[in-house]
Amino acid sequence: MEVINFAETPSLVSRYMMELRDVKIQHDPLRFRTNLDRIGQIMAYEISKRMRYQSLTVTTPLGLAQCQTPAEDIVIATILRAGLPFHHGFLSYFDRAENAFVSAYRRYKEKGDTFDVLVEYLASPSLEGKTLLLVDPMLATGTSMELGYRALLSKGMPAKIHVACVIAAQSGIDYVCRTFPADRTTVWAAAIDSETNAHSYIIPGLGDAGDLAYGVKD
């Protein structure tokens, strides 16, 4: 399975990542959401280079022109709620894509740091034979990503899968590589951090992306 780490190649993504991580900047919710959106747009552009294209003839005011357009049916799927601005960045570029939404969240057990991941909501078109972009800002353990993917499979088997995240823990990357079909999955990360703590939060990470984007939940 191919894993693309944007941090290995200098680009504007590095600037947006700095602002997402910096405690002096990240508490501006509008800027935080905007930076998630920007990284989503850049990733969408890079993913578009891996797609199949078809030639179309269009009529201009002065004649005919041959143009290229993606030949793949695309579905952008997001794990709520932190994924929404990231999703919007992808949708800005793949503006004709279909969309899917999955609710997956951690429910901590009474004692200790262990938790279950619960999936309670799914809205998705058919995925059969399509290209699935599964986008979520944080890839810590990989459990939410896998359960979201398993829920989406009830809508059909995609031909290709692109897993996209803003920050991943190496353990989350390893988990996705073990549990997703290696022959048709590519993983994209703006940065990969080496550790998670006892609560399975990415270290150094950036904190809780959902809270920073939309406010602290009760």
Side-chain angles (χ1 to χ4, degrees):
M1 184 181 297
E2 186 179 11
V3 177
I4 292 94
N5 181 2
F6 281 73
E8 294 176 348
T9 305
S11 73
L12 274 174
V13 170
S14 300
R15 168 71 187 191
Y16 304 145
M17 284 299 308
M18 180 275 290
E19 294 189 358
L20 286 172
R21 291 186 190 265
D22 191 333
V23 295
K24 294 178 290 186
I25 299 173
Q26 64 173 201
H27 288 292
D28 177 349
L30 176 58
R31 192 167 191 85
F32 191 86
R33 293 192 301 270
T34 298
N35 283 329
L36 290 178
D37 188 309
R38 286 167 166 169
I39 294 174
Q41 291 182 41
I42 293 171
M43 283 192 178
Y45 173 70
E46 293 299 327
I47 290 172
S48 76
K49 297 177 183 179
R50 305 291 188 92
M51 293 183 170
R52 291 182 294 105
Y53 283 75
Q54 60 188 357
S55 181
L56 295 177
T57 301
V58 299
T59 302
T60 80
L62 299 176
L64 300 176
Q66 291 296 313
C67 300
Q68 299 292 314
T69 188
E72 300 178 18
D73 294 321
I74 300 164
V75 178
I76 307 169
T78 300
I79 298 176
L80 301 172
R81 66 180 168 144
L84 290 173
F86 194 39
H87 180 110
H88 186 267
F90 281 87
L91 190 58
S92 293
Y93 274 37
F94 295 117
D95 57 311
R96 295 180 179 273
E98 296 178 282
N99 297 271
F101 300 93
V102 181
S103 170
Y105 67 95
R106 295 179 180 184
R107 184 175 67 184
Y108 283 89
K109 297 181 179 178
E110 252 183 65
K111 297 181 180 179
D113 298 315
T114 59
F115 58 86
D116 296 319
V117 176
L118 303 181
V119 175
E120 289 191 343
Y121 174 81
L122 170 65
S124 174
S126 170
L127 300 178
E128 192 65 35
K130 298 177 182 178
T131 296
L132 172 64
L133 278 55
L134 184 51
V135 307
D136 188 19
M138 311 299 287
L139 178 61
T141 66
T143 306
S144 296
M145 192 73 80
E146 184 207 7
L147 289 179
Y149 170 64
R150 299 295 175 197
L152 287 163
L153 287 181
S154 66
K155 303 299 183 179
M157 181 63 70
K160 294 181 184 177
I161 305 158
H162 294 277
V163 173
C165 58
V166 174
I167 297 183
Q170 185 59 53
S171 56
I173 294 286
D174 295 342
Y175 187 85
V176 167
C177 289
R178 291 195 305 270
T179 55
F180 279 65
D183 61 335
R184 58 179 183 274
T185 303
T186 305
V187 180
W188 304 76
I192 300 175
D193 291 348
S194 58
E195 301 178 54
T196 56
N197 65 13
H199 291 282
S200 296
Y201 294 150
I202 301 170
I203 304 296
L206 53 76
D208 189 305
D211 288 355
L212 289 165
Y214 295 112
V216 178
K217 53 189 175 295
D218 191 358

